[in-house]
């Protein structure tokens, strides 16, 4: 990404886009499950120790269920959906803020009929996400609201 002072928002695009910012696969080289989600890196500089990314989950899509040592600071910019943070499930919409603490299971899901777009701030240097093993999954599913959240996979 070049150091252009102002990068215009593309108000005409169907998904949120910024001038000269490539729309990338959410993750590459991984078998981690996810659906209908793209990634744009908005800010990434050697002199900043963080990165700001924009993720857009299409209607019915979801991010990977994962946890890691690094934290996420999330600001929803468009649409609506639900998030799992730990064993809590929350409905979220535009301008809500979500904090994902270290080592906390998390997943973002768009509503069935609306996208979910959010900014996510992370450390530039961060550990790799861990996926739940069957034991961790069964522990999560023991919480009814979490079981219901995870079951929306099958829709
Ligand atoms: Mn994560």
């Amino acid at each position: 990404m070049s150091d252009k002072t102002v990068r215009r928002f593309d108000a005409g695009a169907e998904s949120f886009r910024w001038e000269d910012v490539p729309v990338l696969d959410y993750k590459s080289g991984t078998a981690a499950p996810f659906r209908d989600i793209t990634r744009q890196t908005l800010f990434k500089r050697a002199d900043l120790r963080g990165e700001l990314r924009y993720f857009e989950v299409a209607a019915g899509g979801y991010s990977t269920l994962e946890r890691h040592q690094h934290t996420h600071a999330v600001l929803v910019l468009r649409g609506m959906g639900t998030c799992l943070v730990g064993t809590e499930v929350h409905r979220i919409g535009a301008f809500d803020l979500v904090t994902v603490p270290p080592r906390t299971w998390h997943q973002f899901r768009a509503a069935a009929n609306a996208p979910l777009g959010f900014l996510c701030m992370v450390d530039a240097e961060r550990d790799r996400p861990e996926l739940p093993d069957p034991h961790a999954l069964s522990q999560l599913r023991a919480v009814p609201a979490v079981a219901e959240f995870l079951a929306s996979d099958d829709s």
Side-chain angles (χ1 to χ4, degrees):
M1 179 188 311
S2 67
D3 272 332
K4 195 168 180 181
T5 304
V6 175
R7 213 171 280 278
R8 299 291 175 193
F9 180 69
D10 181 355
E14 189 177 326
S15 56
F16 277 17
R17 296 212 49 177
W18 288 264
E19 185 182 3
D20 299 331
V21 176
V23 179
L24 304 173
D25 290 341
Y26 166 59
K27 290 180 175 175
S28 53
T30 171
F34 58 87
R35 181 192 290 171
D36 293 339
I37 174 166
T38 58
R39 169 172 57 97
Q40 296 172 71
T41 300
L42 303 181
F43 294 98
K44 179 179 184 175
R45 292 174 53 100
D47 59 346
L48 279 175
R49 289 164 52 160
E51 293 177 12
L52 187 63
R53 300 92 47 85
Y54 175 74
F55 294 94
E56 192 160 303
V57 189
Y62 48 84
S63 66
T64 301
L65 173 61
E66 62 180 28
R67 69 178 179 182
H68 34 64
Q69 186 59 39
H70 63 275
T71 62
H72 290 313
V74 168
L75 167 60
V76 180
L77 282 192
R78 78 175 299 197
M80 60 183 69
T82 50
C83 67
L84 170 70
V85 179
T87 54
E88 294 181 9
V89 177
H90 298 276
R91 293 189 153 281
I92 50 174
F95 314 119
D96 288 334
L97 295 168
V98 181
T99 300
V100 179
R103 306 289 302 159
T104 304
W105 296 112
H106 58 282
Q107 187 174 43
F108 292 84
R109 291 175 177 270
N113 57 357
L116 179 68
F118 55 89
L119 297 172
C120 179
M121 189 165 64
V122 286
D123 286 345
E125 285 191 22
R126 53 190 181 270
D127 59 319
R128 289 183 66 82
E130 172 192 347
L131 303 180
D133 62 16
H135 177 69
L137 268 179
S138 69
Q139 282 190 320
L140 283 166
R141 288 206 169 97
V143 180
V146 177
E148 187 184 346
F149 174 89
L150 296 174
S152 42
D153 260 17
D154 311 325
S155 61

